Amino acid sequence: RVTGHVLRNMDDQLGNKGESSFLQLFWDLASVNDAEQLRAGKEIILALKEKQAEVEEGLCPGLEYSLQRLVKGLASHRKGARQGYFTVLTEVLSLFHAIPLSRVYELIHTHLENVGKAQEEKGAYFGRAFALMALIQSGRLTDTTDLVSVVKQLRVCAERKFYLQEFVAVAVCRLLGSVPEGVVRVELVP
């Protein structure tokens, strides 16, 4: 299995054998213990930096796996999951410019779409809002088209789920500081 191979490869990078400790880092990332969450995040980032440095073009399998896992994790209902996954996703996006934004949008669409059940839908909307905020905070949104797209997607989250309105307002305010005034008038303010 590809996932098993990727995890073994990442464990080798960390110097671990047996049960996948790279996988365990993602569980620890969802911990309510801040120190454990921080340690897991640092170890994930360090392992990804080392593996990605070995790749000349594109993404190493560990980075692709982690990106997907981080985006999916934003919909988790575990107490510390969103905070941990959001923080590491933001850092991954800011550090690894080899990650195309189109890939992030694709993962958001694939894993954070509404799935029907009320609890899963709630998690999907939270996850989507957090993923979009990670894009904002990563500093990767420099293209006007991306900026407008993110604001429109955030607006949809706020319109459909009232409990996200304050979060979306904060996200949009953070984004507006980096948007040229003309774009705000023409593209963002209907």
Side-chain angles (χ1 to χ4, degrees), residues 18-31:
E19 284 298 312
S20 178
S21 64
F22 189 70
L23 182 59
Q24 182 61 46
L25 290 175
F26 287 95
W27 284 98
D28 295 346
L29 197 56
S31 172

Side-chain angles (χ1 to χ4, degrees), residues 62-100:
L63 183 53
E64 176 61 37
Y65 171 83
S66 297
L67 182 62
Q68 190 167 343
R69 182 85 190 233
L70 292 167
V71 170
K72 281 182 181 179
L74 293 173
S76 174
H77 297 289
R78 291 180 60 202
K79 247 184 182 173
R82 286 192 190 108
Q83 176 186 342
Y85 281 70
F86 166 77
T87 302
V88 174
L89 178 61
T90 302
E91 190 68 14
V92 164
L93 292 173
S94 67
L95 288 173
F96 300 103
H97 287 253
I99 300 171

Side-chain angles (χ1 to χ4, degrees), residues 3-114:
T3 302
H5 172 72
V6 169
L7 292 173
R8 279 191 302 281
N9 195 355
M10 294 305 292
D11 282 344
D12 289 345
Q13 182 73 32
L14 294 169
N16 299 314
K17 305 292 179 216
E19 284 298 312
S20 178
S21 64
F22 189 70
L23 182 59
Q24 182 61 46
L25 290 175
F26 287 95
W27 284 98
D28 295 346
L29 197 56
S31 172
V32 292
N33 179 313
D34 290 343
E36 189 174 338
Q37 207 176 62
L38 183 60
R39 178 198 54 77
K42 283 181 178 179
E43 287 186 35
I44 290 169
I45 297 293
L46 287 173
L48 293 175
K49 280 182 177 179
E50 289 179 28
K51 279 298 186 187
Q52 186 62 26
E54 298 171 4
V55 176
E56 290 182 30
E57 202 173 294
L59 305 180
C60 71
L63 183 53
E64 176 61 37
Y65 171 83
S66 297
L67 182 62
Q68 190 167 343
R69 182 85 190 233
L70 292 167
V71 170
K72 281 182 181 179
L74 293 173
S76 174
H77 297 289
R78 291 180 60 202
K79 247 184 182 173
R82 286 192 190 108
Q83 176 186 342
Y85 281 70
F86 166 77
T87 302
V88 174
L89 178 61
T90 302
E91 190 68 14
V92 164
L93 292 173
S94 67
L95 288 173
F96 300 103
H97 287 253
I99 300 171
L101 291 182
S102 60
R103 179 67 180 134
V104 180
Y105 296 137
E106 178 186 322
L107 289 170
I108 291 169
H109 178 74
T110 301
H111 300 295
L112 301 175
E113 281 296 311
N114 305 335

Side-chain angles (χ1 to χ4, degrees), residues 87-150:
T87 302
V88 174
L89 178 61
T90 302
E91 190 68 14
V92 164
L93 292 173
S94 67
L95 288 173
F96 300 103
H97 287 253
I99 300 171
L101 291 182
S102 60
R103 179 67 180 134
V104 180
Y105 296 137
E106 178 186 322
L107 289 170
I108 291 169
H109 178 74
T110 301
H111 300 295
L112 301 175
E113 281 296 311
N114 305 335
V115 288
K117 295 180 183 174
Q119 191 67 10
E120 290 175 5
E121 182 179 84
K122 182 178 182 178
Y125 273 108
F126 266 116
R128 178 170 276 230
F130 272 84
L132 295 169
M133 178 66 111
L135 281 168
I136 292 168
Q137 290 199 195
S138 73
R140 296 278 307 274
L141 298 176
T142 56
D143 181 71
T144 302
T145 305
D146 288 326
L147 294 167
V148 171
S149 173
V150 166

